[in-house]
Amino acid sequence: MPISLDRLKVPDEFVLTQEEVIEAVTDYFIKHGWTVQIEAASGGHDLVADKQEWNAYIKCKGSRGKRQQEGMVYDNTQLRGNTGDQIEKLIRAQGEAENPSLFIMANPGLDRMKWVVSKLETGLDKLDIIRMWIYPDRTIKWDIPAHLLRIARKLGIEKN
């Protein structure tokens, strides 16, 4: 359910829609030498990026819907639901992936969103799911499982 920013104990620092996250992620990967395909019709991941022999399957979410009234954002229940959806879609992609692949959940770098995801960090690392945090100025920050750091750096994905 949407909630007014005013009703949050600590209002979100910024708001990004899923479409804005997809755009920022696409720009980042293209800038770092990847080819990107939008997969919105698939019902699964949003983007597939290719570089060298590697694929990256990316599922993006925002902090509000593009049709929501200004000043409204997803409540914590919706953020948790979105996180669960991302994980499910990425696990499905893992089962279908043929090439060496990375699996990335991309979200706004909001404290509230990071808190929700932090509760799942150990499990996400075991599932090889990388977290990509998007900020309004297009800054990207990463949470990368330690065992994937060398591969991520080789492919131009840097841990900040």
Side-chain angles (χ1 to χ4, degrees), residues 29-153:
F29 276 93
I30 290 172
K31 179 180 171 186
H32 289 85
W34 294 72
T35 302
V36 179
Q37 294 175 286
I38 296 175
E39 299 281 325
S42 72
H45 46 277
D46 297 306
L47 303 167
V48 177
D50 304 303
K51 185 176 185 179
Q52 299 166 18
E53 75 276 8
W54 285 83
N55 293 332
Y57 293 87
I58 306 151
K59 182 65 183 163
C60 303
K61 292 291 184 179
S63 58
R64 81 172 181 93
K66 71 177 178 179
R67 292 184 184 92
Q68 283 180 338
Q69 180 180 349
E70 199 65 35
M72 299 297 285
V73 294
Y74 296 137
D75 66 10
N76 289 345
T77 300
Q78 182 68 49
L79 292 181
R80 284 192 301 275
N82 286 350
T83 300
D85 179 64
Q86 286 177 300
I87 294 166
E88 177 195 355
K89 300 291 174 33
L90 291 171
I91 290 172
R92 287 178 188 264
Q94 287 175 344
E96 299 166 4
E98 294 178 15
N99 291 344
S101 300
L102 299 173
F103 304 92
I104 301 169
M105 55 191 298
N107 291 296
L110 300 167
D111 288 343
R112 216 165 42 105
M113 188 74 225
K114 291 179 100 172
W115 183 84
V116 167
V117 173
S118 75
K119 301 298 178 197
L120 306 170
E121 199 167 82
T122 301
L124 292 171
D125 284 355
K126 289 178 181 177
L127 290 169
D128 294 341
I129 296 177
I130 295 170
R131 282 78 71 197
M132 183 179 194
W133 302 104
I134 315 303
Y135 294 85
D137 65 357
R138 299 291 177 102
T139 297
I140 305 290
K141 297 198 176 179
W142 298 92
D143 288 325
I144 301 172
H147 63 279
L148 296 177
L149 273 174
R150 191 172 51 86
I151 293 166
R153 286 188 180 129

